[in-house]
Amino acid sequence: MRTRTERPSAPTATPERSPVEPTGPGRSLRWVVLTLAFACGASVANLYYAQPLLGLLGRSFGVGQGTATIVVTATQIGYALGLALLLPLGDLLENRRLASRTLLLTAAALAVAAFAPDFWVFLAVSALIGVTSVVAQILIPLAAHLAPEESRGRLVGQVMSGLLLGIMLARSVASFAAAAWGWRSIYVISAVVMLLTSIALTKVLPVRRPAHTARYGSLLASVGRLARTEPVLIRRALTQAGMFGAFTAYWTAVSYELVDRHHLSQGGVAVFALVGAAGAASAPVAGRLGDAGHGVAGRATAILLGLVAMLIAGLGVSHLVLLALGGILLDFAVQSHQVLGQRDIYALRPDARARINSVYMTSIFLGGAASSAVTGPVYETWGWSGVTIMAAALMAGGLTIWAAEHLPRRRPAAAPVRPRP
């Protein structure tokens, strides 16, 4: 409900959205979007800090490469649990309060990780970091609620750019921090950032009170019903799960390849990881393509680009430039497809965007967790070639799903009509 003191420039609700109340002085949609983008990037970065540090973690805790890789799996499994159990609350609880309080839990978990005395404590708290880092996926549906229909893809793409920069820069930031102050420093830094981000969300974001009033149990049950009754949601989720699995395999194994084959230092790994930041530029472009009605062709192009990326990375492993080019193209492919997929699913049920996003993102990170769990053994047995072949196979699965949905099916020929005698 609007009052006389509300500013006209603040975001307001439309009939298809849950109520969004503009509170706080001088708030504009631009600053809200910037805050959402930063919060998404800062929170999701927690999932990726460990990837370039696996060698350091293994030496610090006295475990092997295969065991150290479990940290990535545990974090992603935790994230998937958070997506399944916490994210649906975005359709039940006031969004700003839910996001800011969850970030406080993330800050506490990061502080424990920074001072973990052994590997198993670190592993357990890594899973907790994953659970509480779902804030990004609580905030992205909020961006969709704030956006008018004709520019929803563009606005969500802008928020996704922040998230993707967080993903891409996380490895570089973690590597630089480890080179300067040791691997534990990044967890201290991130804990402080999470605390400050929680305060910023409270000050800047508008209040959004969802219209859904059911109990938590029935809310979770409705998530299952959405998964059963929305085939477009399942197709987009399965395709993106395969693509994210390929993405996870590449970035989990490439740090070993950079150190063992190319003899890069931790600082060199950090510089290499910067190439992934270029993928963030694909999000707004993909959003505009979706708004212009080119989503079907855009998704096919993204999947094919991912296949090309794995071919380049696999064949060009001895050449650092080709290895980096493969990473850039892979990031463009995965992030473009994710934005286009989210635009499609958010249009399915505007009243249930958090729950729809829960199905979508849970599927994606389960795919990533499964991929990271397999990547360690695959790399130890078949090396980099085995990893890139596995990643290409995951991309090919997504292309098969796209083809089954969009390519015309050949109908059986009609039986010839026999003339009557």
Side-chain angles (χ1 to χ4, degrees):
M1 181 180 298
R2 294 183 62 86
T3 68
R4 294 180 180 177
T5 58
E6 292 173 350
R7 296 179 179 266
S9 62
T12 58
T14 68
E16 72 168 3
R17 302 173 194 161
S18 300
V20 180
E21 299 178 9
T23 59
R27 180 182 291 112
S28 69
L29 186 57
R30 183 184 66 176
W31 285 108
V32 171
V33 169
L34 287 174
T35 303
L36 289 171
F38 178 82
C40 286
S43 59
V44 80
N46 295 314
L47 304 177
Y48 301 95
Y49 288 140
Q51 283 185 346
L53 307 180
L54 293 177
L56 296 177
L57 289 169
R59 290 191 291 273
S60 178
F61 291 123
V63 298
Q65 288 184 351
T67 303
T69 305
I70 299 174
V71 171
V72 178
T73 304
T75 307
Q76 291 180 339
I77 289 176
Y79 195 66
L81 288 174
L83 291 168
L85 301 177
L86 293 183
L87 184 52
L89 289 173
D91 283 337
L92 186 62
L93 302 179
E94 195 277 303
N95 286 189
R96 183 180 66 177
R97 184 181 299 115
L98 174 63
S100 61
R101 291 183 178 180
T102 302
L103 282 181
L104 294 178
L105 295 177
T106 310
L110 287 163
V112 174
F115 300 100
D118 59 52
F119 178 76
W120 302 108
V121 171
F122 183 82
L123 185 66
V125 80
S126 294
L128 183 58
I129 290 170
V131 170
T132 58
S133 292
V134 297
V135 166
Q137 301 306 327
I138 294 171
L139 297 177
I140 291 173
L142 178 58
H145 280 284
L146 295 174
E149 172 66 29
E150 64 275 8
S151 60
R152 181 169 295 137
R154 177 177 58 83
L155 194 149
V156 172
Q158 289 173 355
V159 175
M160 283 293 296
S161 293
L163 182 144
L164 301 179
L165 280 173
I167 293 174
M168 303 310 169
L169 295 177
R171 303 176 188 87
S172 296
V173 171
S175 295
F176 283 130
W181 306 296
W183 68 262
R184 294 178 186 269
S185 63
I186 188 60
Y187 292 94
V188 175
I189 293 168
S190 186
V192 175
V193 171
M194 291 301 98
L195 181 61
L196 296 176
T197 304
S198 175
I199 296 171
L201 293 183
T202 302
K203 299 293 185 182
V204 175
L205 292 191
V207 173
R208 177 187 171 245
R209 294 186 177 89
H212 203 284
T213 58
R215 293 181 180 274
Y216 179 65
S218 64
L219 191 73
L220 290 183
S222 70
V223 174
R225 286 194 296 273
L226 285 170
R228 293 192 301 271
T229 59
E230 297 290 350
V232 171
L233 171 60
I234 295 305
R235 287 194 291 266
R236 299 297 181 272
L238 290 177
T239 303
Q240 189 64 23
M243 296 188 73
F244 186 70
F247 174 91
T248 301
Y250 175 92
W251 284 106
T252 298
V254 77
S255 61
Y256 294 134
E257 200 67 19
L258 293 172
V259 173
D260 296 340
R261 183 187 296 266
H262 296 282
H263 310 293
L264 296 188
S265 64
Q266 197 65 42
V269 173
V271 172
F272 180 90
L274 285 173
V275 304
S282 65
V285 175
R288 288 186 173 90
L289 285 174
D291 289 339
H294 303 303
V296 174
R299 286 187 288 107
T301 302
I303 298 170
L304 291 172
L305 187 62
L307 284 168
V308 171
M310 288 299 91
L311 179 65
I312 292 173
L315 296 179
V317 63
S318 298
H319 304 280
L320 200 59
V321 173
L322 292 179
L323 193 60
L325 177 61
I328 293 172
L329 295 178
L330 176 64
D331 293 343
F332 264 90
V334 175
Q335 312 313 339
S336 296
H337 191 278
Q338 175 146 332
V339 171
L340 291 169
Q342 283 182 310
R343 191 185 190 283
D344 288 348
I345 65 172
Y346 288 158
L348 297 174
R349 287 280 304 275
D351 63 315
R353 287 195 177 113
R355 283 166 287 161
I356 281 178
N357 204 36
S358 175
V359 175
Y360 185 69
M361 295 305 302
T362 300
S363 302
I364 290 170
F365 274 85
L366 285 176
S371 176
S372 64
V374 174
T375 296
V378 168
Y379 184 79
E380 289 181 342
T381 306
W382 293 289
W384 179 250
S385 296
V387 172
T388 54
I389 291 171
M390 179 185 76
L394 292 172
M395 292 284 184
L399 188 61
T400 302
I401 294 172
W402 180 93
E405 180 180 3
H406 296 294
L407 292 185
R409 298 180 183 180
R410 185 178 298 176
R411 296 182 178 181
V417 178
R418 295 181 179 180
R420 293 185 178 182

